[in-house]
Amino acid sequence: MAEGSGDLTADGEREGKYVCKNRDICSKEEEERLERQHFWKVIDAFKYYRIHIQERVSRAERQFRILPERQRALIPNFLPNLAKIRQCIDQNQEVLKAIVRNCIHMFENMEYGEDDEMRKVRPSSTFDMDKLKSTIKQFVRDWSEAGKAERDSCYQPLIDEILKIFPREKCDVSKVRILVPGAGLGRLAWEIARLGYACQGNEWSFFMLFSSHFVLNRCNKVNSLTLYPWIHQFSNNKRSSDQTRPIFFPDVNPQSLPADSDFSMAAGDFQEVYTEPNTWDCVTTCFFIDTAHNVIDYIETIWNILKPDGVWINLGPLLYHFENMANELSIELSYEDVKAAILKYGFQIEVERESVPTTYTENERSMLKYLYDCVFFVARKPARIYYNGDGSHLEENNRKKARNQRYDNTGMAS
């Protein structure tokens, strides 16, 4: 799940991926070089965290000491609170180091070289550090008890719709293939797999991939790890202790899925990884479609990969990721235009709610909160498609009848 952060700076975790400006003439070797470069850039960001945040705390301390003594005497808890923040930074850094430890072996089809622990950590940009801080807050949203309310408002409507469309009492859900693009730290895809569906999450952000791999594969004790996600917020705190309060993760054992579960995470660009037509029963998108340079490309990809009679379930806003990025293509459409494109492509919208209020990695104790008024819809690819002479497609007039025959007498999907 791509970050649609309440911190509107850098739009959260929607990172600027390594880019070959002209893919038509960019060689495979050049693409791999750029990917390796980006890989190590993200590793450096994880390792540079302590230095970067400690500098921010040091600046606060320097400014405090500039104050007249009579004013400093009025806020005796200021320096002790900064000392607590420094301790929290150290704890966060330990977790971040654990996340990137051995991550060079995550991918089977790409070599990134060996990590030298003695290698000097390179300074990271403010942009990359903002993305890392947003990633830390993703642990709140996906894998802590503190994120449950947000998961209930964002993930549960999607899960409820899956259960309605593919009822476990009527079909073999292990044969129902569900894709979750922009899976983030993987909780939504994990929850779907926990219900017995064959589910794959897809993510291209190294920040997210490193973190999801860590929590899904290397965490097996409930609430065994601690992060301090709010120490970076120096404004809009009602109490000093709000800034240093911890969260514990994971709130469930990620390795507690049944042994026969079909759950996986796939790394890579959504449009490049998923090209095989008619392969998925359901595509579930949460805070995702506005990460596109051109959202119509996503519509086309989803149409292509869905099986006939497959469904697309979506919840999210339209905070277009590339809108304010120089030299980047960005097509910003209203929901009205997005919906029109979906319908013209051949989908039928079966469920639609144009006002679903949700938050994203919200600090519940902050004096400033962002609320997204999201759109929720279920769009179905017709069971049978006919094509005009010009190559355009028309849905079968009797689609409803075809869908009613979806389950045969055995209760299995036909």
Side-chain angles (χ1 to χ4, degrees):
M1 191 152 320
E3 177 101 3
S5 163
D7 301 341
L8 297 181
T9 59
D11 192 18
E13 164 45 24
R14 301 176 181 185
E15 71 176 283
K17 190 186 177 187
Y18 60 93
V19 174
C20 181
K21 290 296 184 182
N22 191 335
R23 285 186 174 271
D24 291 335
I25 62 173
C26 187
S27 67
K28 179 181 178 181
E29 291 76 14
E30 177 66 5
E31 287 245 3
E32 290 179 352
R33 185 191 69 79
L34 290 170
E35 181 172 345
R36 281 192 295 271
Q37 182 182 73
H38 183 67
F39 178 94
W40 289 108
K41 182 181 177 185
V42 175
I43 295 287
D44 283 336
F46 275 78
K47 294 184 176 182
Y48 188 67
Y49 170 83
R50 178 190 280 116
I51 297 171
H52 177 81
I53 307 301
Q54 291 284 15
E55 287 177 352
R56 174 64 182 87
V57 178
S58 296
R59 178 161 65 92
E61 183 175 347
R62 288 194 302 271
Q63 292 174 342
F64 171 80
R65 295 191 184 281
I66 292 172
L67 298 177
E69 185 175 352
R70 68 180 186 281
Q71 292 184 357
R72 296 201 303 268
L74 297 175
I75 43 177
N77 294 324
F78 188 85
L79 289 180
N81 187 60
L82 291 185
K84 290 180 183 178
I85 292 173
R86 291 188 188 279
Q87 293 174 353
C88 296
I89 293 170
D90 290 341
Q91 170 60 32
N92 283 358
Q93 183 65 81
E94 290 306 307
V95 175
L96 295 176
K97 284 170 59 180
I99 289 172
V100 297
R101 190 174 296 129
N102 297 323
C103 65
I104 58 173
H105 304 300
M106 278 177 54
F107 307 105
E108 297 177 355
N109 58 348
M110 185 68 185
E111 293 293 332
Y112 295 99
E114 291 299 321
D115 188 11
D116 182 358
E117 289 293 334
M118 301 303 293
R119 183 174 66 90
K120 184 178 180 180
V121 176
R122 297 178 181 85
S124 295
S125 67
T126 300
F127 185 59
D128 282 338
M129 297 314 300
D130 283 345
K131 289 183 288 188
L132 181 57
K133 288 183 284 187
S134 294
T135 302
I136 291 172
K137 290 190 290 184
Q138 286 286 333
F139 282 93
V140 184
R141 176 178 171 89
D142 266 19
W143 295 102
S144 80
E145 182 63 29
K148 184 178 185 302
E150 198 164 279
R151 292 194 299 274
D152 287 346
S153 67
C154 290
Y155 297 170
Q156 200 58 49
L158 301 167
I159 293 170
D160 289 345
E161 203 63 39
I162 289 169
L163 290 168
K164 288 179 186 176
I165 297 169
F166 306 101
R168 293 191 287 175
E169 64 274 13
K170 291 186 178 180
C171 64
D172 182 356
V173 295
S174 68
K175 301 294 193 296
V176 177
R177 303 187 70 220
I178 300 177
L179 176 65
V180 181
L185 299 198
R187 183 62 178 265
L188 175 58
W190 185 90
E191 291 287 355
I192 294 170
R194 188 172 66 88
L195 293 171
Y197 299 93
C199 189
Q200 182 171 96
N202 165 241
E203 183 57 60
W204 57 260
S205 161
F206 279 135
F207 286 92
M208 296 291 192
L209 288 167
F210 295 162
S211 300
S212 63
H213 181 267
F214 175 76
V215 73
L216 291 169
N217 293 285
R218 292 160 59 190
C219 296
N220 58 13
K221 294 182 179 179
V222 173
N223 291 333
S224 58
L225 294 166
T226 305
L227 280 170
Y228 297 88
W230 315 118
I231 58 173
H232 321 110
Q233 179 177 320
F234 284 82
S235 299
N236 290 309
N237 293 308
K238 288 184 178 179
R239 297 173 179 81
S240 297
S241 59
D242 291 344
Q243 190 177 8
T244 55
R245 74 187 191 277
I247 64 103
F248 306 98
F249 77 95
D251 64 319
V252 295
N253 179 1
Q255 298 183 30
S256 63
L257 291 177
D260 60 349
S261 295
D262 187 350
F263 171 59
S264 60
M265 291 284 288
D269 182 274
F270 170 58
Q271 292 174 251
E272 295 178 3
V273 173
Y274 299 97
T275 58
E276 185 176 350
N278 306 323
T279 52
W280 297 92
D281 298 288
C282 176
V283 176
T284 302
T285 52
C286 184
F287 278 71
F288 174 70
I289 63 173
D290 52 1
T291 66
H293 288 275
N294 173 13
V295 67
I296 296 175
D297 286 339
Y298 278 9
I299 295 170
E300 290 182 349
T301 298
I302 292 169
W303 173 272
N304 181 57
I305 66 176
L306 275 175
K307 297 176 182 178
D309 207 32
V311 291
W312 171 18
I313 309 174
N314 174 77
L315 185 148
L318 292 174
L319 181 61
Y320 288 106
H321 168 50
F322 294 101
E323 178 181 356
N324 297 312
M325 292 189 182
N327 304 316
E328 292 286 356
L329 171 68
S330 182
I331 308 297
E332 298 97 22
L333 303 181
S334 67
Y335 175 63
E336 178 184 39
D337 289 338
V338 171
K339 178 181 175 181
I342 290 171
L343 292 173
K344 288 176 181 177
Y345 214 81
F347 284 103
Q348 286 207 344
I349 293 181
E350 298 184 344
V351 179
E352 182 180 34
R353 296 197 291 273
E354 290 195 13
S355 183
V356 180
T358 61
T359 59
Y360 199 99
T361 61
E362 179 186 70
N363 180 352
E364 63 180 359
R365 297 189 191 177
S366 174
M367 298 169 71
L368 175 65
K369 297 182 175 71
Y370 291 94
L371 184 69
Y372 290 93
D373 195 22
C374 294
V375 168
F376 174 86
F377 64 76
V378 178
R380 188 179 294 271
K381 181 177 179 178
R384 289 180 175 83
I385 309 295
Y386 293 111
Y387 290 87
N388 290 329
D390 61 0
S392 62
H393 48 253
L394 295 171
E395 64 182 277
E396 180 188 19
N397 291 331
N398 201 17
R399 185 181 65 83
K400 183 177 179 181
K401 179 180 178 181
R403 191 165 74 250
N404 286 341
Q405 295 176 349
R406 174 171 193 174
Y407 301 108
D408 62 22
N409 292 332
T410 66
M412 303 289 285
S414 57

